Amino acid sequence: MQKMAELLGLQDECGEGTSGAPTLTGSCLADNRLNLDVYRDGCRRFLQLFKEQRGEVVQVEFLRLSSNDCLFDTTLGSLPHLKHLKSLVLKGGHARDEFGSYQHGSLTNLPPDFGNLRCLTHLDLGFNRLSTLPRCILHLPSLRVLLVSHNSLVTLPEDFGCLSKLTFFSARRNQLKDLPQSIGELSMLKDLDLSENALELLPEELGNLHNCTELDLSGNCLSSIPDSLANLKSLRRLHLHSNLLVTVPASLASLPNLSRLDLQNNCLRTIPAEIQTLPFVHVRGNPLGETEPSPQAGLKSLYNVIHSCISSGSFTVTSEGCSVVLACGIHFYFPPGATSHPLRINFRSLTPDPQWVKLRHHDVLLSKVLELQPHGFQFQQEVQIRMPYISPQTPHQHEVVVRTFSGQSWSDLRTIVKKRKAKRCEAQCCVLHFSWFLVVSRLVQNECKVPAEGTLLFSSVDPNIKVIFPPGVTKEPRSVKLQVLPVSAEEVQEITANAECRASPLLYLSQDSTVDFLKPVRIQLPLPPEVTGLNLVRSRLHILHGDLEGKSWNDITNEVVLEFTHLYAVFEVTHFSWYWLWYSTKTYIGGIAKKVYERLRLYQVNFIALQRKKDPEQVLLQCVPNHKVDPVLRKLQDRYRGPEPSDMVEMFEGEQFFAAFERGISIDMDRPDCVDGRLSFIFYSHLKNMKEIYVTSPVDRKGQAVKGQVSFYRGAVPDSIPEDASRRRKGPDSRWLATLPIKLPQLKPRWDENPGPLYGFSFPPLNLGNAETGYLTQANLLSIARRVGADWQSIGLNLGLTYQQIERIDYNNREDLNKQILDMLFSWAQQNSEDPDCVSKLITAMKESGRQDIADEVEAIIELGRQKYSESIRRVGLEQESSTEDSAIALM
């Protein structure tokens, strides 16, 4: 073991000092196990090891590599040389795209000699780009577990049934349309997951899987299932939700071991009485009791498919149409005939990235980004989308629209706003194509087509603002848009600190042509507050013209013909941009206007940092608009405690900022939102801007508490902010925003024996098992925890933890998967530390949870323990014999 640990250390000769990659230590190796998917350059490390220490590497039995690695294709050719491999994981999903979603790996096939891996029992190729199952897989005689989820498989080989030892098979989230008849030959198969595919029919041979205990067919296009499923006498759980089922065989009620039958979200109008009376049947989301529509009324039926609450990432639409409600509150209505054939719709919610989601000035983001696929598919009728949002603070000045991304640019859709209850509203739009969508509050926009004969356009926010287009102003009709931002006298006086400054509403004009108008266009603006034609001093009135970004404001008073009435100022222009009327005694007004315009786009915010009362290592960070601070704190005060909010600072909509834990407080640096050791945030005034994370400390907390802090810093200066603001945000301290204290209490005495915390946990020493079979130590359990992933709840239940324990662990450690896993495993370990049979129970639970790879790892650890124990007994026995012999000689 020591030799292999040194082998995988990859010291400086492997390029560590120059690449900056973390040193590969024993943390990713346990005897014959090699975990390289946690490193960005894992394939480079493998290739170098294979070249320099080939004799040792070919003995590896457990190997994990990332198929997102740039050298992955090169590495594939070396894998068939590892003849002792038992478990091989070649998964994607280790990298994210520009929208923050996990990327599929580059694997499209396997080398032909891959079938020579005679010892391979576990193979995971999930999250890749397989369109067909590689033939070489069918030549793996020992294969028991095969995972190909999240690929693009359309069909399985006809001789798929030759994998006679297969006990677990998952092809979740592919594009399978049918199954080979030979699938019924998998006599040892226990778990079969075919969810979220496009299956329309199932072969009768599926009923030959007599050892199958769990069958997942949810999220397909099945209208019926074969009666032969009643032959699955070992079946415990059958998942059929989110299909198109119109009938189910009554014989399913006779399955002796069935404990869950999920029929939710189908088209079942009736269910056999034998099934309906079973306590473990779930039927919500079906049109039970409704009459069958007549053929004449079929096209008039609004809901032929009902999905009452879908929280997964996809659903199916047929030519009959359907209504869909996602768990997040988004509604879809697909009218009959929207698609001519069954179509799989995929959806996901994305965190908005300001580098991609480009907000215009004075826009307010009201939702996350919703991506709908398939992209590019044209529906035959418009699909209705209703997206929920919270009503903005300035409804009169702003209007709500759904904005969509074409792949090149964002554009606004015609939107209908529907109010529900309290501040909850919905934005409704209709589309023929799916892409990316979000809800935005923008300045109210009035628009018109300007013909050659001329026209009149006025603002619905302030009808006193008009734009007059004379005849002959253009040869070809062009579209013109008008937006107005009212500015109160109090705002101007507060920002300028000058009681004599006044300003009219801000006017923004734009057009769809790059050519100036042929004749001057007349603009009418109301005079600033408290200014009339009777008390007007002409030298104090200034017309300002701003560029498109509002970065510079020029006084054009002497460049235009300016007319006055008792209430209005009228002037003429030939091109469009920002226009602003000011009344002031100041001579140079442009600089003042820049300052006011900048402040109108800023939000006054406070930072809060609170610790959960029951678990101080769980820290909540949030950036809150100043007027919301008190209500937010009132909601959190029962569960959290912490310092007073920070002093008020100002931020732009969509501005990035960071939170850095300092003075003995640290966080998991591997988080995807962690940049150079700091948590990244994006401020959006109407989103939560909140993260709850677990913190730890490298400081020994057995003797004292740790008094640290969290500091907030600005990110990169946004491109669109004025030059003056940008200049002020440069320098060593200009990006600091606020600092708040964080205190981690002294560890309780019962944890004193623990050598140190991990992920904020402190664990007592563990020795699970018995001397003869070998022990599982704390280090072994931590190694297992790194493998568990999202299956932790299922594993916990199979280990014997109660639902209440699982729910408490989930709630106490939400948004931190690592800590959920550790809490689950060590809670079980402490409850069973005196049970000499607990290791075998752990292996059984892993197998029942479909994690044969972890079960194999535990068995390998135990086998090593048995060998060491036997060697120690033999060694002690020889010593005793020798000692006895020496004693006899001494007595003679």
Side-chain angles (χ1 to χ4, degrees), residues 63-115:
L63 175 62
R64 299 176 67 95
L65 291 170
S66 167
S67 57
N68 294 113
D69 197 302
C70 60
L71 293 177
F72 178 75
D73 292 339
T74 306
T75 307
L76 271 181
S78 303
L79 299 186
H81 296 283
L82 279 62
K83 304 295 185 182
H84 299 279
L85 268 183
K86 292 181 179 179
S87 175
L88 178 60
V89 178
L90 304 175
K91 289 180 67 174
H94 294 274
R96 293 174 180 257
D97 60 19
E98 58 184 318
F99 309 118
S101 300
Y102 293 109
Q103 289 184 318
H104 286 249
S106 60
L107 181 66
T108 58
N109 205 345
L110 292 172
D113 52 351
F114 206 81

Side-chain angles (χ1 to χ4, degrees), residues 736-749:
W736 174 84
L737 293 166
T739 296
L740 295 171
I742 297 289
K743 180 180 179 181
L744 294 182
Q746 181 179 347
L747 292 178
K748 294 180 180 179

Side-chain angles (χ1 to χ4, degrees), residues 31-162:
D31 281 337
N32 51 4
R33 292 182 296 278
L34 184 54
N35 303 323
L36 294 174
D37 56 345
V38 296
Y39 299 100
R40 293 183 179 179
D41 61 343
C43 288
R44 178 191 68 80
R45 292 167 180 255
F46 177 85
L47 291 171
Q48 188 159 357
L49 282 169
F50 189 76
K51 177 181 178 181
E52 299 177 359
Q53 305 286 351
R54 181 167 177 166
E56 288 86 349
V57 173
V58 295
Q59 301 298 320
V60 169
E61 296 180 2
F62 302 87
L63 175 62
R64 299 176 67 95
L65 291 170
S66 167
S67 57
N68 294 113
D69 197 302
C70 60
L71 293 177
F72 178 75
D73 292 339
T74 306
T75 307
L76 271 181
S78 303
L79 299 186
H81 296 283
L82 279 62
K83 304 295 185 182
H84 299 279
L85 268 183
K86 292 181 179 179
S87 175
L88 178 60
V89 178
L90 304 175
K91 289 180 67 174
H94 294 274
R96 293 174 180 257
D97 60 19
E98 58 184 318
F99 309 118
S101 300
Y102 293 109
Q103 289 184 318
H104 286 249
S106 60
L107 181 66
T108 58
N109 205 345
L110 292 172
D113 52 351
F114 206 81
N116 297 332
L117 299 176
R118 315 293 291 177
C119 299
L120 194 65
T121 62
H122 172 265
L123 178 60
D124 189 347
L125 305 177
F127 242 103
N128 279 292
R129 304 180 188 276
L130 296 173
S131 57
T132 58
L133 194 70
R135 293 291 305 175
C136 57
I137 291 179
L138 303 180
H139 300 130
L140 298 172
S142 303
L143 194 63
R144 291 188 291 171
V145 177
L146 176 59
L147 300 99
V148 289
S149 56
H150 292 269
N151 277 277
S152 303
L153 298 175
V154 178
T155 187
L156 296 175
E158 286 299 326
D159 52 347
F160 184 69
C162 69

Side-chain angles (χ1 to χ4, degrees), residues 127 154 210 287 359 448 591 805:
F127 242 103
V154 178
H210 300 297
L359 295 179
C448 70
Q805 286 177 295

Side-chain angles (χ1 to χ4, degrees), residues 473-475 478 511 513-519 521 573-576:
V473 72
T474 180
K475 288 183 178 180
R478 63 179 77 180
Q511 58 169 320
S513 173
T514 57
V515 180
D516 288 346
F517 289 99
L518 301 179
K519 291 185 178 181
V521 176
V573 298
T574 57
H575 61 278
F576 283 173

Side-chain angles (χ1 to χ4, degrees), residues 318 351 533 639 881:
T318 68
T351 301
R639 292 172 293 143
E881 291 175 5

